[in-house]
Amino acid sequence: TRELRFYFFGGDEANATLNVAAFHADGAAGLGAGSRSGSVTSRVLPCRGRAPIVTAKVVGSGHVSVGILDDAGRPVAGRSVADAIPVLLDATDEEVGWRSERAAPIPERCVLQFELAEATLFTFGFASTARADRAARAERARNELGKAQPAADMAPPRRPC
């Protein structure tokens, strides 16, 4: 994890102590909502078809939900805040998702809409293409393993009991 550390002296001249304060690099400032939910909408962003990621702190029964709008401000089918799978726990660069299996693709340019309740949103961005490429390779490998048939001569020998 990325951590920032600040060293400082405390006490008086005769009894000074060196102290350290540490916090998550993305946790210096954020947008927060208490028990009453609130929302914030981004400007038009270069999404490039990638899923949003968030870094957030969630308290109690709070949540962070993310919706995607097109560059004209219209909700993308299956990717609205109402369709979102809420982030319910503290998250660092967590990729967000939606319930719909048939959601429209994420556009090249989009607007993000965040709904927060008992949560603080520190940062947001988009999943790296490297992460998406790794996920696609892993999915292909899982599919290939599922299709592979074990060779008869590769089966372990049976031992009598």
Side-chain angles (χ1 to χ4, degrees):
T1 63
R2 298 175 307 193
E3 181 179 81
L4 295 178
R5 292 182 181 185
F6 291 95
Y7 295 91
F8 60 95
F9 286 101
D12 57 30
E13 286 183 32
N15 296 308
T17 59
L18 179 62
N19 299 290
V20 63
F23 60 92
H24 191 278
D26 290 337
L31 298 169
S35 58
R36 290 182 48 194
S37 67
S39 66
V40 63
T41 303
S42 75
R43 61 179 175 80
V44 176
L45 301 168
C47 302
R48 297 188 185 107
R50 298 172 296 161
I53 57 173
V54 297
T55 296
K57 179 171 183 62
V58 180
V59 179
S61 60
H63 73 274
V64 175
S65 296
V66 183
I68 297 183
L69 310 174
D70 65 18
D71 58 3
R74 295 179 302 257
V76 173
R79 297 193 188 273
S80 69
V81 169
D83 296 320
I85 298 170
V87 176
L88 302 173
L89 302 171
D90 293 353
T92 302
D93 293 337
E94 181 76 23
E95 190 171 319
V96 298
W98 296 269
R99 292 182 183 94
S100 176
E101 300 266 334
R102 290 181 261 181
I106 297 170
E108 288 296 308
R109 293 169 38 95
C110 70
V111 174
L112 297 180
Q113 188 174 37
F114 300 93
E115 180 183 89
L116 309 167
E118 294 186 59
T120 302
L121 175 66
F122 294 110
T123 63
F124 66 90
F126 296 95
S128 71
T129 54
R131 182 186 294 182
D133 291 346
R134 279 194 309 274
R137 284 195 307 274
E139 182 65 24
R140 283 194 302 273
R142 279 193 295 275
N143 289 339
E144 289 301 315
L145 286 174
K147 293 176 189 173
Q149 298 295 322
D153 59 343
M154 297 297 290
R158 296 191 95 151
R159 296 183 182 179
C161 295

